[in-house]
Amino acid sequence: MSDLRTTPLHDRHVALGASFTDFGGWSMPVRHTSDLAEHHAVRQTAGLFDISHMAEFLVTGAGAAAFLDYALAGRIGAMKVGKAKYSLLLSDAGGVIDDVIVYRTGEDYFVVISNAGNRALVAEAFSERAARAPISAAFVAGSPDVPEFFGTVVGADAARIEDISDQVALIAVQGPRAREVLTATDGIDGLNPALADLGYYAWSAGTFQGASLFVARTGYTGEDGFELLVPNDAAPALWDALLAAGTPLGVVPAGLASRDTLRLEAGMPLHGHELSDQILPAQAGLGRAVAMDKDDFVGQGALAAASADLPVLVGLVSEGRRAGRAGYAVFADAEGGEPVGEITSGALSPTLGHPIAMAFVPSDLAAPGTELFIDVRGTRIPATVTALPFYRRNS
């Protein structure tokens, strides 16, 4: 793993005895203790995740909103300052290059967070779109300076897109006690709005030991929680402070293995599994993330012309302990016949106690209650189509 990138928290994970894996070119902790323990901690108390491998882009200028409306599928310009929005970066053919979260941190300031493995693709797409956007826009290389997360730009009708991924770290606190953890963390000051007043898919500005701190009430686990963006230099001390505050509450460091089973239970798509540049948003159940009535955005024409008779994403539940995994074939019959679909993600659900999976199948087999069969190492296991998500938190 010597050629892999490491996050500013790598030494903390080593000290905690974590096991590592190659994830998108990064050496990332897959677990610190056990997958099940970390999964259950997030569902019952909270887990602490290092997600500093994610990519961040700062989009600023009086034309920033117009540029993002053109570059992304969602209606970004209508967002209020202080809010966040899930959106999609589409290819000209309408496929999903990446799914992102956009935060409006000022009238002319936006932070866009994308998946680590797609950083280069997103940067390339933003750069290319800046060259052909209906407003003046320019993609620039990241500055070595710590970026300003918030502000208002006064100037010409133009946009500036900057990759700030190398300057910042991202830590997630996820679970029903996440807010208690942040409230008890020494060094976090001046959050505005206060955590108690922070709505879902909204953010708060503050400081940690004097460093700029961005706290968003977002996550990827199906639980309530927060994601904290800080300059790299402040990340180790913030991790230590969060862990010190959380340990008495039952909070544990968590890795990618539990993050994957948590997001699967919550029915959240993962790029490279449920999303790709060959999958249209509607196929993955993400039609709501596309504002087809916008004047113009990349991929709009292809989506308007797309066939309605395409495979769609469904949830599958089965009994026993044998779970379908990514790549396993799905059949309509217990014996014979050709595959009708393929598992994209699957696992034995730690929370629910039975196998769950997501798969693309023909639309005429997608109704909840439809019986299908998963080929698990040569044995066809009955599976029932169910509405996503598999799990919802109580509040």
Side-chain angles (χ1 to χ4, degrees):
M1 291 190 181
S2 58
D3 294 333
L4 298 180
R5 299 191 64 184
T6 59
T7 77
L9 300 173
H10 182 78
D11 290 346
R12 296 301 195 270
H13 303 308
V14 172
L16 289 166
S19 300
F20 293 88
T21 190
D22 178 349
F23 189 82
W26 291 77
S27 178
M28 294 297 295
V30 67
R31 67 184 63 82
H32 295 84
T33 53
S34 81
D35 303 349
L36 286 177
E38 292 169 16
H39 180 108
H40 289 312
V42 175
R43 290 281 181 251
Q44 297 166 9
T45 54
L48 187 61
F49 295 88
D50 176 9
I51 52 174
S52 301
H53 61 311
M54 301 291 280
E56 293 85 15
F57 298 86
L58 192 63
V59 185
T60 62
F67 170 77
L68 289 171
D69 272 338
Y70 172 73
L72 301 177
R75 194 178 300 281
I76 308 303
M79 291 174 60
K80 295 181 179 179
V81 174
K83 297 297 184 181
K85 188 178 186 68
Y86 178 85
S87 195
L88 302 170
L89 180 73
L90 304 180
S91 68
D92 286 307
V96 180
I97 296 174
D98 203 12
D99 58 337
V100 303
I101 296 183
V102 183
Y103 303 86
R104 192 167 199 165
T105 61
E107 186 62 30
D108 302 319
Y109 257 70
F110 297 83
V111 175
V112 180
I113 298 183
S114 72
N115 288 293
N118 290 332
R119 175 182 173 181
L121 291 174
V122 174
E124 180 182 5
F126 277 161
S127 179
E128 188 274 334
R129 284 160 211 218
R132 63 175 167 129
I135 60 111
S136 176
F139 185 90
V140 299
S143 165
D145 299 327
V146 175
E148 293 290 340
F149 300 145
F150 321 97
T152 299
V153 175
V154 179
D157 186 18
R160 170 188 168 102
I161 308 101
E162 181 180 4
D163 185 344
I164 62 170
S165 309
D166 293 337
Q167 287 88 266
V168 294
L170 194 59
I171 299 172
V173 186
Q174 300 283 298
R177 305 195 75 172
R179 193 171 76 181
E180 290 179 68
V181 175
L182 266 65
T183 301
T185 299
D186 289 337
I188 294 180
D189 293 306
L191 287 179
N192 182 26
L195 289 177
D197 301 321
L198 188 63
Y200 190 51
Y201 263 64
W203 58 265
S204 180
T207 61
F208 172 72
Q209 296 183 355
S212 179
L213 175 66
F214 175 93
V215 178
R217 194 175 175 190
T218 50
Y220 192 55
T221 63
E223 294 296 336
D224 194 10
F226 303 87
E227 295 176 320
L228 293 78
L229 191 68
V230 291
N232 284 336
D233 289 348
L238 177 58
W239 174 273
D240 293 344
L242 290 166
L243 195 56
T247 297
L249 301 175
V251 177
V252 303
L256 292 180
S258 62
R259 188 171 169 85
D260 192 49
T261 52
L262 290 159
R263 70 92 192 168
L264 174 57
E265 290 181 346
M268 294 178 168
L270 176 64
H271 198 278
H273 291 254
E274 290 72 41
L275 302 176
S276 79
D277 61 4
Q278 301 300 308
I279 299 295
L280 304 184
Q283 290 182 260
L286 297 176
R288 66 187 183 280
V290 180
M292 284 298 294
D293 58 345
K294 287 196 299 183
D295 289 340
D296 185 26
F297 64 90
V298 177
Q300 183 180 36
L303 295 185
S307 169
D309 189 24
L310 294 171
V312 295
L313 188 68
V314 299
L316 295 172
V317 297
S318 50
E319 299 180 353
R321 310 291 290 179
R322 302 183 66 185
R325 303 291 180 177
Y328 286 13
V330 178
F331 291 85
D333 302 301
E335 297 181 2
E338 295 296 318
V340 297
E342 183 176 288
I343 300 296
T344 55
S345 298
L348 178 63
S349 167
T351 303
L352 305 174
H354 58 73
I356 59 174
M358 291 192 281
F360 282 99
V361 301
S363 57
D364 60 351
L365 296 176
T370 302
E371 186 178 55
L372 297 173
F373 298 86
I374 303 172
D375 188 324
V376 180
R377 299 180 181 177
T379 301
R380 295 192 186 183
I381 306 296
T384 303
V385 174
T386 187
L388 295 170
F390 302 103
Y391 164 87
R392 292 183 189 273
R393 66 178 187 267
N394 291 330
S395 59

